[in-house]
Amino acid sequence: MARVGIIMGSTSDWETMRHAAETLAALDVAHETKVVSAHRTPQRLYDYAGGAARRGLQVIIAGAGGAAHLPGMAASMTHLPVLGVPVESKALKGMDSLLSIVQMPGGIPVGTLAIGKAGAINAALLAAAILALGDADLSQRLQAWRAAQSDGVATDPA
């Protein structure tokens, strides 16, 4: 059963959001991916976010570009943690997405990550860290992943 839901506003967002899915897969965290547009498929969003906890999800990662309403709208419909990933847009390079996601009113929190690929990877790592609070095996996998990352950093520049 999926523990993390990865949603995005359109199929074009997959190029960014696939990095969240790949990171969760590397950590052996069950997840699902769906296209859920806040603007074009509002009923799908309502059904997805409203039923997420009941279906066993524990964290939602929502990627969106442009007006980027998906993370905030999802957060308004569930008590689960929602992590927002601003997808880089052509017009403003993702700054529009970042500002839209990060400007949530008090009472509707969205954890906002970096623009693009780095944000998607970090959203997956943050979701795993949240889940690892109650999952010792996942905690060990996450610690091993981070240790391998550290071990992979060269000591010499050449």
Side-chain angles (χ1 to χ4, degrees):
M1 175 180 1
R3 297 175 72 187
V4 178
I6 301 171
I7 57 177
M8 62 213 77
S10 69
T11 56
S12 64
D13 296 339
W14 178 243
E15 181 55 35
T16 296
M17 299 309 294
R18 71 181 178 84
H19 299 287
E22 290 167 359
T23 303
L24 290 171
L27 292 167
D28 196 26
V29 175
H31 61 280
E32 63 184 24
T33 58
K34 302 285 182 203
V35 175
V36 180
S37 172
H39 301 119
R40 292 173 306 215
T41 63
Q43 187 62 50
R44 188 183 303 172
L45 170 58
Y46 182 83
D47 294 343
Y48 187 89
R54 190 171 46 255
R55 292 184 306 101
L57 292 181
Q58 296 172 291
V59 180
I60 295 173
I61 299 172
H69 290 129
L70 182 61
M73 290 299 297
S76 75
M77 298 176 193
T78 184
H79 68 280
L80 298 177
V82 175
L83 307 176
V85 177
V87 173
E88 186 173 337
S89 59
K90 291 179 183 171
L92 298 173
K93 303 294 182 204
M95 283 301 295
D96 49 346
S97 311
L98 173 66
L99 293 174
S100 180
I101 297 170
V102 80
Q103 292 296 326
M104 289 303 297
I108 310 293
V110 173
T112 308
L113 286 298
I115 297 168
K117 178 181 175 180
I121 292 168
N122 284 343
L125 292 171
L126 186 54
I130 291 167
L131 297 174
L133 292 171
D135 182 335
D137 291 338
L138 177 54
S139 179
Q140 289 296 321
R141 292 193 305 274
L142 183 58
Q143 290 176 58
W145 189 95
R146 295 197 52 173
Q149 178 183 5
S150 294
D151 292 344
V153 175
T155 56
D156 297 317

